[in-house]
Amino acid sequence: MFGPQVPSVTPTQVEPSAYLLDVREPDEWAAGHAPDAHHLPMMEVPARIAEIPTDAEVVVVCRSGGRSGQVVSYLMGNGWDNVRNLDGGMQAWSADGRDVVSENGQPARVL
């Protein structure tokens, strides 16, 4: 989708030790996200960039891979070489049978 400059991984390639960075909006996060993910909405990344690890694999995720691909490009342009885009986003994560949890007491779902 973004060409060779944006490295990506599939849900099955995500290592258990990876730092999952979910860049979706708060309502999307509340409806359903990966259990160990960290929430940082895309528009807040520039102001909170120091919160993103530089010493561990970071997998960036959104709903389908578009916004997260933009964040990966942004981070790479700012010196991160440890970031990957989750190919297919949370839709692919859920379709692959990976765990999804909610924050709002409702059954988890991907918005």
Side-chain angles (χ1 to χ4, degrees):
M1 172 184 264
F2 296 99
Q5 74 277 12
V6 176
S8 65
V9 294
T10 65
T12 57
Q13 294 172 318
V14 175
E15 296 291 332
S17 61
Y19 184 95
L20 281 175
L21 178 64
D22 192 320
V23 298
R24 296 176 300 149
E25 294 299 312
D27 62 322
E28 294 173 290
W29 167 263
H33 57 84
D36 295 323
H38 303 268
H39 188 223
L40 179 57
M42 179 181 179
M43 298 310 290
E44 295 180 26
V45 168
R48 297 174 57 190
I49 196 167
E51 297 176 29
I52 302 169
T54 57
D55 59 351
E57 179 184 13
V58 176
V59 176
V60 185
V61 59
C62 67
R63 183 176 56 86
S64 63
R67 288 173 285 177
S68 53
Q70 292 175 40
V71 171
V72 168
S73 290
Y74 176 80
L75 291 170
M76 290 177 71
N78 282 278
W80 271 252
D81 61 2
N82 59 323
V83 291
R84 308 285 178 268
N85 187 29
L86 183 63
D87 191 29
M90 281 302 296
Q91 290 176 328
W93 180 271
S94 178
D96 195 53
R98 305 293 295 262
D99 287 341
V100 178
V101 297
S102 73
E103 294 289 314
N104 58 14
Q106 299 297 316
R109 60 194 172 102
V110 177
L111 293 185

